[in-house]
Amino acid sequence: MSVDQGRGLAERAAANPRQAARARYDRATADLDPPLAIVDLGAFDRNAADMTRRAALTGNGGRPIRVATKSLRCRYLIERALATPGYRGVMCYSLAEALWLHAMGTSDDLLVAYPTVDRRALRALAADGQAGSASRS
């Protein structure tokens, strides 16, 4: 590529920052197999803070926001949200997920949102003294 061609690419990228970002993300993830996600952590943090601001406006009495794993499927982001003031606890999609999040140390305030007949997970809950005591408190 000539210097002139390189300048043309740079000018086009500057003219369309979205395309430039997409090209940068494509280069950064070229060696990764999908599915994958790229998260703007600044936007994530701003949205998390905005949710607590809006929750305060509704007069929720200072109750914390519980993170729903059905919508947020990345443990790192769940933990990031829980580190945000105004968030506490996780609403889990399944008992198996709740047990995993407990074992990973993500939270001990776990609510299983749906009834379960998952025998393996129920046996694991019964056998795990720490998870079992957390589930009763």
Side-chain angles (χ1 to χ4, degrees):
M1 170 183 328
S2 73
V3 173
D4 289 335
Q5 287 173 321
R7 280 192 203 122
L9 289 174
E11 289 168 4
R12 284 194 301 276
N16 190 337
R18 249 185 150 161
Q19 283 182 339
R22 174 64 190 258
R24 195 170 66 250
Y25 299 151
D26 286 346
R27 283 190 307 275
T29 61
D31 295 332
L32 301 175
D33 290 326
L36 56 96
I38 298 173
V39 177
D40 180 331
L41 293 177
F44 182 89
D45 293 342
R46 287 188 300 277
N47 287 338
D50 189 53
M51 286 182 64
T52 58
R53 181 191 60 78
R54 286 185 281 150
L57 293 176
T58 65
N60 76 348
R63 289 175 290 194
I65 297 170
R66 186 176 290 273
V67 178
T69 65
K70 186 175 179 182
S71 300
L72 189 57
R73 303 294 301 155
C74 172
R75 186 168 56 96
Y76 172 81
L77 293 175
I78 293 166
E79 292 171 353
R80 190 176 184 98
L82 290 172
T84 303
Y87 286 78
R88 188 179 72 228
V90 180
M91 181 171 66
C92 301
Y93 180 76
S94 69
L95 176 57
E97 178 182 64
L99 290 167
W100 177 70
L101 289 172
H102 184 266
M104 294 293 105
T106 298
S107 178
D108 62 358
D109 183 354
L110 301 159
L111 167 72
V112 178
Y114 302 97
T116 188
V117 293
D118 180 341
R119 291 180 183 175
R120 176 182 277 168
L122 289 166
R123 282 193 297 272
L125 175 62
D128 186 332
Q130 285 185 325
S133 66
S135 69
R136 288 185 283 278
S137 57

